[in-house]
Amino acid sequence: MMKKQLIMEKALELFANQGIEATSIQQITEHCGISKGSFYLAFKSKDELILALIDHFMMQITSNIDYTVRNTNDDKKLLFEFYYTMFHTFYEHSDFAKILIKEQVQSFNEELIVKIHYYNRLNEKIILSMIERLYGEEVEPIKYDLIYNIKGFMSTYLQLFLFYNAPLDFDLLSQSLVEKTNLLARHTTIPFFSQELIEMINQPMKEEVTKEQLIEMIEQKIEEIEESIEKESLILLKQQLLEPTLVPAIVKGLLENIRNHPHCKWISYLLRRYYEF
Amino acid sequence: MMKKQLIMEKALELFANQGIEATSIQQITEHCGISKGSFYLAFKSKDELILALIDHFMMQITSNIDYTVRNTNDDKKLLFEFYYTMFHTFYEHSDFAKILIKEQVQSFNEELIVKIHYYNRLNEKIILSMIERLYGEEVEPIKYDLIYNIKGFMSTYLQLFLFYNAPLDFDLLSQSLVEKTNLLARHTTIPFFSQELIEMINQPMKEEVTKEQLIEMIEQKIEEIEESIEKESLILLKQQLLEPTLVPAIVKGLLENIRNHPHCKWISYLLRRYYEF
DNA sequence: TTGACAAATGACTGAGTAGTCATTATTATA
DNA sequence: TATAATAATGACTACTCAGTCATTTGTCAA
């Protein structure tokens, strides 16, 4: 569906510049060169468009960062790669990042809040796994403090380059944050977050996706995209889910094939989690 | 003017719960039990109300924090007192803090952005003076990084207790942040902020207030408040500005008198800066 | 060329908005 | 008590918005 993508693209530009609330459907359709009726053929409502945008970009961003963390073998480089990928990915999707920060705490839509929380939790999980891998048992009492400090660094510096559009040196920034993170991880002795507090904050996580849901999602994607290596890979991965016959190396290779297709990033992320690669 | 205060109070509640954009004048007047016309007798527009709210609370919060920093003599306690006062003050004004965070990056009103930036700059100055006092020359190359890290800690943990309304232990939290801040101040070696970058980000600061402006503001306040120690103190402070006759100790005492009057916090802050106490 | 189906249109509806102003109520003064 | 001055009211205007639907336009097979 070309129309949906066009609308999402053009709407994103307007949302980033004026805010979601301040952008009317009229403006969006004019900016697209289509009629109002056409818009409502593609999306049931303005809310549905917003949710689609959140999903589309958060899937890409989350899976990008997750991929980096899972596939950086050198522990010495891990933190740097994490920060660098994070900043780089958000920079690539600046318009989206802007609306994400702007509307993050805005509460006009319950479903939107739930969705953003969901992705927040996923990102916290990724950060936690990184912390545990890097620092192991020694940071156990302060690991939640660390998560929040890392997220704090992220949002502070993200705001900086999103709203001042200063041409920042991501390499230096990431180096600097690696140093700070290591300092906090190795020398913090006063934890603030208790297990209790964390449980209070985190509502129960949305249930994991099932194999059946994965298959359904893959089928949908197969119909969406044209003939290509990616499509073939998806078909093989679907068969593998229905009846495991391939060795892990092949499965991992297939995942690698679809990893960079913009429509497959999410599937690729879910499958990596499913197979625990 | 009683009416203005009533409207500001009730509007704040609605703004904090629903967001500014989503709250109509109708709702505000109903919540106050007054008519729509009455609202427009007190404020020229919705924007004017918003700006009044920002000023009223930011003046209190900024001057509170500034007072703490200036009047904590024991350097060992300074950072703790800073964090503690900051969290405590924002907690006292939770509703305002919520709308501040929500609308901070929202750009629907140029004047509002300018105002928030102005107070941001003031707070940065306070933090900078604290850093310079505590760590001196040794942190010169990383002092701007420190400012941003401290601000990052503030906003991260502020969001936490504002939006999860968890009953947080401010004492423990402040202790924990003191440790983190000291770690970063004493061991960071890779600065990210260059002088250049800072200059790019900071538009020229609004000019300092003049003596004449101060006198005018004091006169206004004198008319606003009823007979009291505070009023007498204001009258004496005004005379002191017109013709200095009192010794510093007395001036400082007079400032102390008005410090905790909700309407005088800002005057008190400006006078402290003027006399460099 | 025709006819059947699908895609696209934009005038229209109804709800809600900020801000106005002629009228009414209240208070202060003589 | 009578009169002037001030404060408060809410119906009203002019506008914007999300969402609908009868109508038109485009497409493709027979």
Side-chain angles (χ1 to χ4, degrees), chain B residues 47-102:
Chain B
D47 278 349
E48 205 188 79
L49 165 63
I50 297 166
L51 292 173
L53 277 171
I54 300 278
D55 265 332
H56 180 250
F57 286 98
M58 282 311 290
M59 283 172 180
Q60 287 202 45
I61 291 168
T62 306
S63 56
N64 250 12
I65 295 173
D66 177 76
Y67 179 84
T68 299
V69 171
R70 282 180 198 264
N71 291 74
T72 302
N73 296 315
D74 186 351
D75 278 8
K76 276 179 194 146
K77 287 184 185 162
L78 180 55
L79 251 183
F80 176 86
E81 293 294 334
F82 165 79
Y83 279 122
Y84 193 89
T85 305
M86 192 271 299
F87 286 123
H88 196 262
T89 308
F90 274 107
Y91 182 75
E92 270 185 316
H93 305 298
S94 294
D95 275 349
F96 173 75
K98 276 181 200 167
I99 73 162
L100 186 72
I101 287 185
K102 277 188 188 173

Side-chain angles (χ1 to χ4, degrees), chain A residues 167-185:
Chain A
L168 299 193
D169 180 346
F170 289 156
D171 196 274
L172 178 62
L173 176 54
S174 303
Q175 275 182 50
S176 150
L177 291 182
V178 167
E179 186 191 40
K180 288 179 205 289
T181 309
N182 279 328
L183 275 172
L184 294 179

